[in-house]
Amino acid sequence: MTEVTPDKETRGGEPPPSSPPPAAPPDNGWRKEYWSRNLRLMVILLTVWFIVSFGFGIILVEPLNEIVIAGFPLGFWFAQQGSIYVFVILILVYAKMMDRLDNQFGVGEQENQEAGK
């Protein structure tokens, strides 16, 4: 009778390696820069929206109401329509700026479609 120990398996061969060699961490420098610029753009645009909607529509409404355009006080206009118009414009500005940023970092939609062909 032969004795089977962990060192002497009946199947033979080399034992599997204990763990794969450690891989180098991927370079994420461009991703951090991309995300940093994206966050900076969002903070700027949200600040503009806050100033227009909250500042002009609520805080500064009394001084702005002294200015009348086409029969409507300017503070009233900002509170009712101006902040909405500015918000839509800010969305368009964000989309345009993000397209430019995507192209700058090589992750634009056109570049990805051309690479997939």
PDB file of all heavy atoms in Angstrom, residues 4-42:
ATOM      1  N   VAL A   4      -0.665   8.378   0.346  1.00  0.00           N
ATOM      2  CA  VAL A   4      -0.855   9.621  -0.440  1.00  0.00           C
ATOM      3  C   VAL A   4      -0.779  10.805   0.505  1.00  0.00           C
ATOM      4  O   VAL A   4      -1.538  10.888   1.464  1.00  0.00           O
ATOM      5  CB  VAL A   4      -2.211   9.613  -1.184  1.00  0.00           C
ATOM      6  CG1 VAL A   4      -2.402  10.914  -1.920  1.00  0.00           C
ATOM      7  CG2 VAL A   4      -2.303   8.433  -2.122  1.00  0.00           C
ATOM      8  N   THR A   5       0.160  11.675   0.236  1.00  0.00           N
ATOM      9  CA  THR A   5       0.313  12.905   1.021  1.00  0.00           C
ATOM     10  C   THR A   5       0.084  14.098   0.092  1.00  0.00           C
ATOM     11  O   THR A   5       0.091  13.959  -1.138  1.00  0.00           O
ATOM     12  CB  THR A   5       1.716  12.985   1.627  1.00  0.00           C
ATOM     13  OG1 THR A   5       2.653  13.038   0.562  1.00  0.00           O
ATOM     14  CG2 THR A   5       2.001  11.791   2.527  1.00  0.00           C
ATOM     15  N   PRO A   6      -0.113  15.302   0.630  1.00  0.00           N
ATOM     16  CA  PRO A   6      -0.295  16.468  -0.248  1.00  0.00           C
ATOM     17  C   PRO A   6       0.893  16.707  -1.164  1.00  0.00           C
ATOM     18  O   PRO A   6       0.756  17.236  -2.250  1.00  0.00           O
ATOM     19  CB  PRO A   6      -0.470  17.635   0.727  1.00  0.00           C
ATOM     20  CG  PRO A   6      -0.878  17.030   1.996  1.00  0.00           C
ATOM     21  CD  PRO A   6      -0.316  15.632   2.008  1.00  0.00           C
ATOM     22  N   ASP A   7       2.091  16.291  -0.771  1.00  0.00           N
ATOM     23  CA  ASP A   7       3.256  16.477  -1.625  1.00  0.00           C
ATOM     24  C   ASP A   7       3.273  15.494  -2.788  1.00  0.00           C
ATOM     25  O   ASP A   7       3.765  15.792  -3.851  1.00  0.00           O
ATOM     26  CB  ASP A   7       4.538  16.303  -0.811  1.00  0.00           C
ATOM     27  CG  ASP A   7       4.692  17.413   0.218  1.00  0.00           C
ATOM     28  OD1 ASP A   7       4.058  18.469   0.026  1.00  0.00           O
ATOM     29  OD2 ASP A   7       5.431  17.202   1.192  1.00  0.00           O
ATOM     30  N   LYS A   8       2.692  14.365  -2.590  1.00  0.00           N
ATOM     31  CA  LYS A   8       2.712  13.321  -3.616  1.00  0.00           C
ATOM     32  C   LYS A   8       1.294  13.021  -4.071  1.00  0.00           C
ATOM     33  O   LYS A   8       0.643  12.119  -3.598  1.00  0.00           O
ATOM     34  CB  LYS A   8       3.348  12.058  -3.066  1.00  0.00           C
ATOM     35  CG  LYS A   8       4.776  12.202  -2.683  1.00  0.00           C
ATOM     36  CD  LYS A   8       5.271  10.901  -2.136  1.00  0.00           C
ATOM     37  CE  LYS A   8       6.701  11.003  -1.677  1.00  0.00           C
ATOM     38  NZ  LYS A   8       7.179   9.759  -1.091  1.00  0.00           N
ATOM     39  N   GLU A   9       0.804  13.808  -4.999  1.00  0.00           N
ATOM     40  CA  GLU A   9      -0.528  13.555  -5.524  1.00  0.00           C
ATOM     41  C   GLU A   9      -0.439  12.447  -6.548  1.00  0.00           C
ATOM     42  O   GLU A   9       0.565  12.278  -7.221  1.00  0.00           O
ATOM     43  CB  GLU A   9      -1.108  14.819  -6.159  1.00  0.00           C
ATOM     44  CG  GLU A   9      -1.447  15.883  -5.146  1.00  0.00           C
ATOM     45  CD  GLU A   9      -2.202  17.021  -5.793  1.00  0.00           C
ATOM     46  OE1 GLU A   9      -3.259  16.748  -6.379  1.00  0.00           O
ATOM     47  OE2 GLU A   9      -1.744  18.137  -5.702  1.00  0.00           O
ATOM     48  N   THR A  10      -1.505  11.750  -6.670  1.00  0.00           N
ATOM     49  CA  THR A  10      -1.493  10.625  -7.608  1.00  0.00           C
ATOM     50  C   THR A  10      -1.570  11.096  -9.052  1.00  0.00           C
ATOM     51  O   THR A  10      -1.212  10.374  -9.957  1.00  0.00           O
ATOM     52  CB  THR A  10      -2.672   9.705  -7.306  1.00  0.00           C
ATOM     53  OG1 THR A  10      -3.872  10.437  -7.377  1.00  0.00           O
ATOM     54  CG2 THR A  10      -2.505   9.045  -5.956  1.00  0.00           C
ATOM     55  N   ARG A  11      -2.049  12.382  -9.322  1.00  0.00           N
ATOM     56  CA  ARG A  11      -2.187  12.879 -10.694  1.00  0.00           C
ATOM     57  C   ARG A  11      -0.843  13.343 -11.263  1.00  0.00           C
ATOM     58  O   ARG A  11      -0.665  13.425 -12.438  1.00  0.00           O
ATOM     59  CB  ARG A  11      -3.189  14.018 -10.757  1.00  0.00           C
ATOM     60  CG  ARG A  11      -4.610  13.541 -10.527  1.00  0.00           C
ATOM     61  CD  ARG A  11      -5.576  14.672 -10.524  1.00  0.00           C
ATOM     62  NE  ARG A  11      -5.728  15.045  -9.106  1.00  0.00           N
ATOM     63  CZ  ARG A  11      -6.154  16.197  -8.680  1.00  0.00           C
ATOM     64  NH1 ARG A  11      -6.475  17.139  -9.509  1.00  0.00           N
ATOM     65  NH2 ARG A  11      -6.272  16.449  -7.415  1.00  0.00           N
ATOM     66  N   GLY A  12       0.076  13.739 -10.446  1.00  0.00           N
ATOM     67  CA  GLY A  12       1.376  14.185 -10.910  1.00  0.00           C
ATOM     68  C   GLY A  12       1.358  15.608 -11.409  1.00  0.00           C
ATOM     69  O   GLY A  12       0.357  16.303 -11.344  1.00  0.00           O
ATOM     70  N   GLY A  13       2.460  16.105 -11.918  1.00  0.00           N
ATOM     71  CA  GLY A  13       2.562  17.454 -12.465  1.00  0.00           C
ATOM     72  C   GLY A  13       2.984  18.463 -11.440  1.00  0.00           C
ATOM     73  O   GLY A  13       3.140  18.182 -10.258  1.00  0.00           O
ATOM     74  N   GLU A  14       3.152  19.678 -11.936  1.00  0.00           N
ATOM     75  CA  GLU A  14       3.570  20.789 -11.086  1.00  0.00           C
ATOM     76  C   GLU A  14       2.392  21.314 -10.285  1.00  0.00           C
ATOM     77  O   GLU A  14       1.258  21.367 -10.794  1.00  0.00           O
ATOM     78  CB  GLU A  14       4.113  21.926 -11.947  1.00  0.00           C
ATOM     79  CG  GLU A  14       5.402  21.599 -12.658  1.00  0.00           C
ATOM     80  CD  GLU A  14       6.583  21.695 -11.714  1.00  0.00           C
ATOM     81  OE1 GLU A  14       6.544  22.556 -10.823  1.00  0.00           O
ATOM     82  OE2 GLU A  14       7.523  20.911 -11.880  1.00  0.00           O
ATOM     83  N   PRO A  15       2.609  21.714  -9.069  1.00  0.00           N
ATOM     84  CA  PRO A  15       1.517  22.352  -8.325  1.00  0.00           C
ATOM     85  C   PRO A  15       1.217  23.728  -8.918  1.00  0.00           C
ATOM     86  O   PRO A  15       2.105  24.385  -9.452  1.00  0.00           O
ATOM     87  CB  PRO A  15       2.073  22.459  -6.901  1.00  0.00           C
ATOM     88  CG  PRO A  15       3.540  22.421  -7.055  1.00  0.00           C
ATOM     89  CD  PRO A  15       3.820  21.606  -8.275  1.00  0.00           C
ATOM     90  N   PRO A  16      -0.043  24.173  -8.858  1.00  0.00           N
ATOM     91  CA  PRO A  16      -0.393  25.486  -9.423  1.00  0.00           C
ATOM     92  C   PRO A  16       0.295  26.599  -8.636  1.00  0.00           C
ATOM     93  O   PRO A  16       0.575  26.453  -7.448  1.00  0.00           O
ATOM     94  CB  PRO A  16      -1.920  25.557  -9.262  1.00  0.00           C
ATOM     95  CG  PRO A  16      -2.227  24.604  -8.177  1.00  0.00           C
ATOM     96  CD  PRO A  16      -1.187  23.531  -8.227  1.00  0.00           C
ATOM     97  N   PRO A  17       0.621  27.680  -9.335  1.00  0.00           N
ATOM     98  CA  PRO A  17       1.240  28.812  -8.622  1.00  0.00           C
ATOM     99  C   PRO A  17       0.284  29.351  -7.570  1.00  0.00           C
ATOM    100  O   PRO A  17      -0.941  29.317  -7.721  1.00  0.00           O
ATOM    101  CB  PRO A  17       1.520  29.836  -9.716  1.00  0.00           C
ATOM    102  CG  PRO A  17       0.672  29.445 -10.866  1.00  0.00           C
ATOM    103  CD  PRO A  17       0.404  27.977 -10.741  1.00  0.00           C
ATOM    104  N   SER A  18       0.861  29.857  -6.504  1.00  0.00           N
ATOM    105  CA  SER A  18       0.025  30.324  -5.403  1.00  0.00           C
ATOM    106  C   SER A  18      -0.825  31.539  -5.784  1.00  0.00           C
ATOM    107  O   SER A  18      -1.978  31.641  -5.430  1.00  0.00           O
ATOM    108  CB  SER A  18       0.892  30.659  -4.190  1.00  0.00           C
ATOM    109  OG  SER A  18       1.830  31.659  -4.533  1.00  0.00           O
ATOM    110  N   SER A  19      -0.266  32.494  -6.515  1.00  0.00           N
ATOM    111  CA  SER A  19      -1.040  33.671  -6.953  1.00  0.00           C
ATOM    112  C   SER A  19      -0.338  34.260  -8.168  1.00  0.00           C
ATOM    113  O   SER A  19       0.870  34.118  -8.326  1.00  0.00           O
ATOM    114  CB  SER A  19      -1.147  34.691  -5.838  1.00  0.00           C
ATOM    115  OG  SER A  19       0.133  35.200  -5.515  1.00  0.00           O
ATOM    116  N   PRO A  20      -1.098  34.916  -9.049  1.00  0.00           N
ATOM    117  CA  PRO A  20      -0.472  35.529 -10.224  1.00  0.00           C
ATOM    118  C   PRO A  20       0.412  36.699  -9.788  1.00  0.00           C
ATOM    119  O   PRO A  20       0.205  37.289  -8.721  1.00  0.00           O
ATOM    120  CB  PRO A  20      -1.668  36.002 -11.058  1.00  0.00           C
ATOM    121  CG  PRO A  20      -2.781  36.125 -10.113  1.00  0.00           C
ATOM    122  CD  PRO A  20      -2.531  35.124  -9.027  1.00  0.00           C
ATOM    123  N   PRO A  21       1.418  37.002 -10.601  1.00  0.00           N
ATOM    124  CA  PRO A  21       2.276  38.137 -10.237  1.00  0.00           C
ATOM    125  C   PRO A  21       1.465  39.432 -10.229  1.00  0.00           C
ATOM    126  O   PRO A  21       0.530  39.593 -11.007  1.00  0.00           O
ATOM    127  CB  PRO A  21       3.345  38.145 -11.330  1.00  0.00           C
ATOM    128  CG  PRO A  21       2.756  37.389 -12.463  1.00  0.00           C
ATOM    129  CD  PRO A  21       1.794  36.415 -11.870  1.00  0.00           C
ATOM    130  N   PRO A  22       1.781  40.354  -9.352  1.00  0.00           N
ATOM    131  CA  PRO A  22       0.999  41.596  -9.284  1.00  0.00           C
ATOM    132  C   PRO A  22       1.186  42.420 -10.550  1.00  0.00           C
ATOM    133  O   PRO A  22       2.300  42.539 -11.058  1.00  0.00           O
ATOM    134  CB  PRO A  22       1.575  42.306  -8.059  1.00  0.00           C
ATOM    135  CG  PRO A  22       2.929  41.729  -7.875  1.00  0.00           C
ATOM    136  CD  PRO A  22       2.872  40.326  -8.381  1.00  0.00           C
ATOM    137  N   ALA A  23       0.073  42.943 -11.071  1.00  0.00           N
ATOM    138  CA  ALA A  23       0.107  43.771 -12.273  1.00  0.00           C
ATOM    139  C   ALA A  23       0.291  45.226 -11.862  1.00  0.00           C
ATOM    140  O   ALA A  23      -0.099  45.639 -10.769  1.00  0.00           O
ATOM    141  CB  ALA A  23      -1.197  43.600 -13.050  1.00  0.00           C
ATOM    142  N   ALA A  24       0.874  45.981 -12.762  1.00  0.00           N
ATOM    143  CA  ALA A  24       1.063  47.410 -12.497  1.00  0.00           C
ATOM    144  C   ALA A  24      -0.292  48.101 -12.518  1.00  0.00           C
ATOM    145  O   ALA A  24      -1.164  47.758 -13.321  1.00  0.00           O
ATOM    146  CB  ALA A  24       1.979  48.012 -13.551  1.00  0.00           C
ATOM    147  N   PRO A  25      -0.534  49.062 -11.646  1.00  0.00           N
ATOM    148  CA  PRO A  25      -1.825  49.750 -11.654  1.00  0.00           C
ATOM    149  C   PRO A  25      -1.971  50.555 -12.939  1.00  0.00           C
ATOM    150  O   PRO A  25      -1.001  51.105 -13.451  1.00  0.00           O
ATOM    151  CB  PRO A  25      -1.757  50.661 -10.422  1.00  0.00           C
ATOM    152  CG  PRO A  25      -0.314  50.819 -10.144  1.00  0.00           C
ATOM    153  CD  PRO A  25       0.356  49.572 -10.627  1.00  0.00           C
ATOM    154  N   PRO A  26      -3.206  50.605 -13.491  1.00  0.00           N
ATOM    155  CA  PRO A  26      -3.406  51.356 -14.735  1.00  0.00           C
ATOM    156  C   PRO A  26      -3.220  52.852 -14.485  1.00  0.00           C
ATOM    157  O   PRO A  26      -3.476  53.357 -13.395  1.00  0.00           O
ATOM    158  CB  PRO A  26      -4.849  51.027 -15.118  1.00  0.00           C
ATOM    159  CG  PRO A  26      -5.499  50.632 -13.845  1.00  0.00           C
ATOM    160  CD  PRO A  26      -4.433  50.011 -13.002  1.00  0.00           C
ATOM    161  N   ASP A  27      -2.777  53.517 -15.542  1.00  0.00           N
ATOM    162  CA  ASP A  27      -2.566  54.958 -15.437  1.00  0.00           C
ATOM    163  C   ASP A  27      -3.912  55.667 -15.586  1.00  0.00           C
ATOM    164  O   ASP A  27      -4.501  55.678 -16.656  1.00  0.00           O
ATOM    165  CB  ASP A  27      -1.610  55.421 -16.524  1.00  0.00           C
ATOM    166  CG  ASP A  27      -1.345  56.910 -16.424  1.00  0.00           C
ATOM    167  OD1 ASP A  27      -1.468  57.457 -15.316  1.00  0.00           O
ATOM    168  OD2 ASP A  27      -1.004  57.515 -17.456  1.00  0.00           O
ATOM    169  N   ASN A  28      -4.415  56.218 -14.522  1.00  0.00           N
ATOM    170  CA  ASN A  28      -5.704  56.906 -14.527  1.00  0.00           C
ATOM    171  C   ASN A  28      -5.542  58.413 -14.432  1.00  0.00           C
ATOM    172  O   ASN A  28      -6.472  59.112 -14.071  1.00  0.00           O
ATOM    173  CB  ASN A  28      -6.576  56.416 -13.371  1.00  0.00           C
ATOM    174  CG  ASN A  28      -7.090  55.027 -13.610  1.00  0.00           C
ATOM    175  OD1 ASN A  28      -7.260  54.607 -14.752  1.00  0.00           O
ATOM    176  ND2 ASN A  28      -7.317  54.289 -12.543  1.00  0.00           N
ATOM    177  N   GLY A  29      -4.377  58.928 -14.772  1.00  0.00           N
ATOM    178  CA  GLY A  29      -4.150  60.369 -14.670  1.00  0.00           C
ATOM    179  C   GLY A  29      -5.077  61.175 -15.558  1.00  0.00           C
ATOM    180  O   GLY A  29      -5.612  62.200 -15.140  1.00  0.00           O
ATOM    181  N   TRP A  30      -5.293  60.707 -16.798  1.00  0.00           N
ATOM    182  CA  TRP A  30      -6.154  61.473 -17.702  1.00  0.00           C
ATOM    183  C   TRP A  30      -7.607  61.420 -17.233  1.00  0.00           C
ATOM    184  O   TRP A  30      -8.356  62.384 -17.419  1.00  0.00           O
ATOM    185  CB  TRP A  30      -6.025  60.967 -19.140  1.00  0.00           C
ATOM    186  CG  TRP A  30      -6.623  59.608 -19.378  1.00  0.00           C
ATOM    187  CD1 TRP A  30      -6.023  58.408 -19.233  1.00  0.00           C
ATOM    188  CD2 TRP A  30      -7.970  59.346 -19.791  1.00  0.00           C
ATOM    189  NE1 TRP A  30      -6.894  57.400 -19.530  1.00  0.00           N
ATOM    190  CE2 TRP A  30      -8.096  57.935 -19.882  1.00  0.00           C
ATOM    191  CE3 TRP A  30      -9.061  60.143 -20.094  1.00  0.00           C
ATOM    192  CZ2 TRP A  30      -9.285  57.330 -20.256  1.00  0.00           C
ATOM    193  CZ3 TRP A  30     -10.242  59.532 -20.465  1.00  0.00           C
ATOM    194  CH2 TRP A  30     -10.344  58.148 -20.554  1.00  0.00           C
ATOM    195  N   ARG A  31      -7.995  60.297 -16.618  1.00  0.00           N
ATOM    196  CA  ARG A  31      -9.380  60.205 -16.122  1.00  0.00           C
ATOM    197  C   ARG A  31      -9.624  61.176 -14.976  1.00  0.00           C
ATOM    198  O   ARG A  31     -10.688  61.788 -14.891  1.00  0.00           O
ATOM    199  CB  ARG A  31      -9.681  58.785 -15.658  1.00  0.00           C
ATOM    200  CG  ARG A  31      -9.706  57.814 -16.785  1.00  0.00           C
ATOM    201  CD  ARG A  31      -9.883  56.422 -16.276  1.00  0.00           C
ATOM    202  NE  ARG A  31      -9.621  55.481 -17.343  1.00  0.00           N
ATOM    203  CZ  ARG A  31     -10.405  54.490 -17.661  1.00  0.00           C
ATOM    204  NH1 ARG A  31     -11.489  54.276 -16.980  1.00  0.00           N
ATOM    205  NH2 ARG A  31     -10.095  53.683 -18.645  1.00  0.00           N
ATOM    206  N   LYS A  32      -8.648  61.319 -14.101  1.00  0.00           N
ATOM    207  CA  LYS A  32      -8.796  62.269 -12.995  1.00  0.00           C
ATOM    208  C   LYS A  32      -8.854  63.701 -13.509  1.00  0.00           C
ATOM    209  O   LYS A  32      -9.639  64.513 -13.023  1.00  0.00           O
ATOM    210  CB  LYS A  32      -7.643  62.099 -12.007  1.00  0.00           C
ATOM    211  CG  LYS A  32      -7.714  60.818 -11.226  1.00  0.00           C
ATOM    212  CD  LYS A  32      -6.552  60.671 -10.279  1.00  0.00           C
ATOM    213  CE  LYS A  32      -6.632  59.331  -9.546  1.00  0.00           C
ATOM    214  NZ  LYS A  32      -5.464  59.091  -8.713  1.00  0.00           N
ATOM    215  N   GLU A  33      -8.030  64.017 -14.506  1.00  0.00           N
ATOM    216  CA  GLU A  33      -8.052  65.362 -15.095  1.00  0.00           C
ATOM    217  C   GLU A  33      -9.383  65.620 -15.806  1.00  0.00           C
ATOM    218  O   GLU A  33      -9.959  66.698 -15.700  1.00  0.00           O
ATOM    219  CB  GLU A  33      -6.878  65.508 -16.061  1.00  0.00           C
ATOM    220  CG  GLU A  33      -6.824  66.838 -16.773  1.00  0.00           C
ATOM    221  CD  GLU A  33      -6.539  67.996 -15.834  1.00  0.00           C
ATOM    222  OE1 GLU A  33      -5.981  67.767 -14.751  1.00  0.00           O
ATOM    223  OE2 GLU A  33      -6.886  69.141 -16.202  1.00  0.00           O
ATOM    224  N   TYR A  34      -9.869  64.621 -16.533  1.00  0.00           N
ATOM    225  CA  TYR A  34     -11.153  64.732 -17.236  1.00  0.00           C
ATOM    226  C   TYR A  34     -12.279  64.984 -16.234  1.00  0.00           C
ATOM    227  O   TYR A  34     -13.106  65.877 -16.414  1.00  0.00           O
ATOM    228  CB  TYR A  34     -11.406  63.451 -18.031  1.00  0.00           C
ATOM    229  CG  TYR A  34     -12.725  63.386 -18.745  1.00  0.00           C
ATOM    230  CD1 TYR A  34     -12.905  64.018 -19.966  1.00  0.00           C
ATOM    231  CD2 TYR A  34     -13.788  62.667 -18.206  1.00  0.00           C
ATOM    232  CE1 TYR A  34     -14.103  63.949 -20.638  1.00  0.00           C
ATOM    233  CE2 TYR A  34     -14.993  62.584 -18.869  1.00  0.00           C
ATOM    234  CZ  TYR A  34     -15.148  63.223 -20.083  1.00  0.00           C
ATOM    235  OH  TYR A  34     -16.347  63.150 -20.733  1.00  0.00           O
ATOM    236  N   TRP A  35     -12.321  64.189 -15.155  1.00  0.00           N
ATOM    237  CA  TRP A  35     -13.370  64.335 -14.155  1.00  0.00           C
ATOM    238  C   TRP A  35     -13.237  65.671 -13.428  1.00  0.00           C
ATOM    239  O   TRP A  35     -14.250  66.313 -13.113  1.00  0.00           O
ATOM    240  CB  TRP A  35     -13.321  63.166 -13.170  1.00  0.00           C
ATOM    241  CG  TRP A  35     -14.422  63.194 -12.173  1.00  0.00           C
ATOM    242  CD1 TRP A  35     -14.312  63.322 -10.827  1.00  0.00           C
ATOM    243  CD2 TRP A  35     -15.834  63.127 -12.446  1.00  0.00           C
ATOM    244  NE1 TRP A  35     -15.546  63.317 -10.236  1.00  0.00           N
ATOM    245  CE2 TRP A  35     -16.501  63.200 -11.209  1.00  0.00           C
ATOM    246  CE3 TRP A  35     -16.580  63.009 -13.612  1.00  0.00           C
ATOM    247  CZ2 TRP A  35     -17.887  63.166 -11.114  1.00  0.00           C
ATOM    248  CZ3 TRP A  35     -17.960  62.981 -13.506  1.00  0.00           C
ATOM    249  CH2 TRP A  35     -18.588  63.051 -12.275  1.00  0.00           C
ATOM    250  N   SER A  36     -12.013  66.113 -13.177  1.00  0.00           N
ATOM    251  CA  SER A  36     -11.807  67.397 -12.516  1.00  0.00           C
ATOM    252  C   SER A  36     -12.348  68.549 -13.360  1.00  0.00           C
ATOM    253  O   SER A  36     -13.022  69.452 -12.850  1.00  0.00           O
ATOM    254  CB  SER A  36     -10.315  67.593 -12.248  1.00  0.00           C
ATOM    255  OG  SER A  36     -10.060  68.883 -11.787  1.00  0.00           O
ATOM    256  N   ARG A  37     -12.070  68.506 -14.663  1.00  0.00           N
ATOM    257  CA  ARG A  37     -12.595  69.564 -15.545  1.00  0.00           C
ATOM    258  C   ARG A  37     -14.116  69.494 -15.647  1.00  0.00           C
ATOM    259  O   ARG A  37     -14.784  70.521 -15.721  1.00  0.00           O
ATOM    260  CB  ARG A  37     -11.960  69.448 -16.921  1.00  0.00           C
ATOM    261  CG  ARG A  37     -10.519  69.855 -16.929  1.00  0.00           C
ATOM    262  CD  ARG A  37     -10.016  69.905 -18.316  1.00  0.00           C
ATOM    263  NE  ARG A  37      -8.594  70.175 -18.344  1.00  0.00           N
ATOM    264  CZ  ARG A  37      -7.929  70.406 -19.449  1.00  0.00           C
ATOM    265  NH1 ARG A  37      -8.537  70.404 -20.615  1.00  0.00           N
ATOM    266  NH2 ARG A  37      -6.650  70.656 -19.408  1.00  0.00           N
ATOM    267  N   ASN A  38     -14.674  68.299 -15.682  1.00  0.00           N
ATOM    268  CA  ASN A  38     -16.124  68.140 -15.731  1.00  0.00           C
ATOM    269  C   ASN A  38     -16.765  68.732 -14.476  1.00  0.00           C
ATOM    270  O   ASN A  38     -17.755  69.464 -14.555  1.00  0.00           O
ATOM    271  CB  ASN A  38     -16.467  66.665 -15.883  1.00  0.00           C
ATOM    272  CG  ASN A  38     -17.944  66.412 -16.046  1.00  0.00           C
ATOM    273  OD1 ASN A  38     -18.719  67.330 -16.273  1.00  0.00           O
ATOM    274  ND2 ASN A  38     -18.336  65.172 -15.926  1.00  0.00           N
ATOM    275  N   LEU A  39     -16.197  68.434 -13.319  1.00  0.00           N
ATOM    276  CA  LEU A  39     -16.756  68.970 -12.070  1.00  0.00           C
ATOM    277  C   LEU A  39     -16.632  70.492 -12.017  1.00  0.00           C
ATOM    278  O   LEU A  39     -17.557  71.175 -11.561  1.00  0.00           O
ATOM    279  CB  LEU A  39     -16.036  68.359 -10.871  1.00  0.00           C
ATOM    280  CG  LEU A  39     -16.385  66.923 -10.537  1.00  0.00           C
ATOM    281  CD1 LEU A  39     -15.575  66.450  -9.338  1.00  0.00           C
ATOM    282  CD2 LEU A  39     -17.867  66.778 -10.252  1.00  0.00           C
ATOM    283  N   ARG A  40     -15.493  71.020 -12.485  1.00  0.00           N
ATOM    284  CA  ARG A  40     -15.311  72.477 -12.483  1.00  0.00           C
ATOM    285  C   ARG A  40     -16.370  73.150 -13.359  1.00  0.00           C
ATOM    286  O   ARG A  40     -16.965  74.154 -12.968  1.00  0.00           O
ATOM    287  CB  ARG A  40     -13.913  72.823 -12.988  1.00  0.00           C
ATOM    288  CG  ARG A  40     -13.580  74.278 -12.848  1.00  0.00           C
ATOM    289  CD  ARG A  40     -12.169  74.616 -13.269  1.00  0.00           C
ATOM    290  NE  ARG A  40     -11.265  73.495 -13.099  1.00  0.00           N
ATOM    291  CZ  ARG A  40     -10.278  73.207 -13.938  1.00  0.00           C
ATOM    292  NH1 ARG A  40     -10.050  73.952 -14.988  1.00  0.00           N
ATOM    293  NH2 ARG A  40      -9.496  72.178 -13.726  1.00  0.00           N
ATOM    294  N   LEU A  41     -16.648  72.579 -14.535  1.00  0.00           N
ATOM    295  CA  LEU A  41     -17.665  73.126 -15.428  1.00  0.00           C
ATOM    296  C   LEU A  41     -19.044  73.069 -14.779  1.00  0.00           C
ATOM    297  O   LEU A  41     -19.809  74.050 -14.832  1.00  0.00           O
ATOM    298  CB  LEU A  41     -17.662  72.365 -16.751  1.00  0.00           C
ATOM    299  CG  LEU A  41     -18.707  72.768 -17.774  1.00  0.00           C
ATOM    300  CD1 LEU A  41     -18.501  74.218 -18.206  1.00  0.00           C
ATOM    301  CD2 LEU A  41     -18.666  71.836 -18.967  1.00  0.00           C
ATOM    302  N   MET A  42     -19.364  71.955 -14.144  1.00  0.00           N
ATOM    303  CA  MET A  42     -20.680  71.831 -13.496  1.00  0.00           C
ATOM    304  C   MET A  42     -20.836  72.840 -12.360  1.00  0.00           C
ATOM    305  O   MET A  42     -21.899  73.445 -12.203  1.00  0.00           O
ATOM    306  CB  MET A  42     -20.882  70.411 -12.965  1.00  0.00           C
ATOM    307  CG  MET A  42     -21.211  69.418 -14.040  1.00  0.00           C
ATOM    308  SD  MET A  42     -21.808  67.833 -13.432  1.00  0.00           S
ATOM    309  CE  MET A  42     -20.478  67.266 -12.439  1.00  0.00           C
TER     310      MET A  42
END
